[in-house]
Amino acid sequence: MPVAHAAQEVSAAVFEKLKPAQDALKARDFKGALTNANAALGVAKTPYEREIALKIKLSAAHSLRSWPDVIEAGEALVKSPGIGGAERTNLQRMLGTVYVQTRQYDKAVENMRAAMQASGGGTAQDHLVMYSIYVARNDCPNSLASLDR
């Protein structure tokens, strides 16, 4: 269960970095958004401040297809106390597909299984993603089993 943040405020030091990151993201300057989000992470003190900066980083990195940055931000958000429920499940699904892009199939399976378990067995799309992971790993028995569900 996610932990509610007592005071959802950010310090002036973090705001100085977050505001340009948000503005850059809105302007579709994804490199600028990523740079400023990383700067905000460097001064963030609270879990809430980190979550805001990580979400901007995730969005900018995904738009840039910077998979290492996507993985770093996504994994940190999944572990964050303020992230839970459907938001965590969607992050795990996204990480599953990104790990396929980087050919880290074991991590892809781990994240997809966690998302599927959290969502009561997964969607048809989840099973297709699992199928593609198993095919990429040359794992015929599991690829066929994933289609049976």
Side-chain angles (χ1 to χ4, degrees):
M1 174 167 291
V3 175
H5 298 290
Q8 294 191 359
E9 297 178 4
V10 296
S11 67
V14 173
F15 185 78
E16 272 182 28
K17 309 293 183 192
L18 279 179
K19 181 69 170 123
Q22 289 172 325
D23 292 345
L25 192 61
K26 286 179 187 172
R28 303 181 63 80
D29 171 15
F30 302 121
K31 286 183 182 178
L34 184 59
T35 298
N36 285 300
N38 281 328
L41 282 167
V43 295
K45 301 275 190 255
T46 68
Y48 179 68
E49 291 173 341
R50 286 189 49 75
E51 286 170 19
I52 294 170
L54 285 166
K55 286 178 180 181
I56 294 170
K57 178 176 181 166
L58 179 69
S59 182
H62 200 277
S63 294
L64 291 169
R65 297 178 187 246
S66 176
W67 303 136
D69 288 315
V70 170
I71 289 168
E72 183 181 323
E75 290 287 359
L77 283 166
V78 165
K79 295 174 185 161
S80 183
I83 306 295
E87 187 174 14
R88 176 174 281 130
T89 301
N90 288 334
L91 283 165
Q92 289 168 319
R93 281 188 176 109
M94 181 269 312
L95 283 168
T97 61
V98 170
Y99 278 122
V100 170
Q101 295 293 324
T102 60
R103 292 183 167 82
Q104 297 178 64
Y105 301 120
D106 291 341
K107 294 293 286 179
V109 168
E110 175 186 321
N111 277 276
M112 288 305 298
R113 282 186 180 158
M116 291 167 72
Q117 182 179 359
S119 64
T123 65
Q125 182 66 34
D126 292 338
H127 291 282
L128 286 173
V129 170
M130 289 298 286
Y131 169 77
S132 69
I133 295 167
Y134 289 130
V135 167
R137 289 183 3 176
N138 294 318
D139 183 346
C140 282
N142 279 322
S143 66
L144 293 174
S146 67
L147 289 178
D148 286 339
R149 295 186 175 111

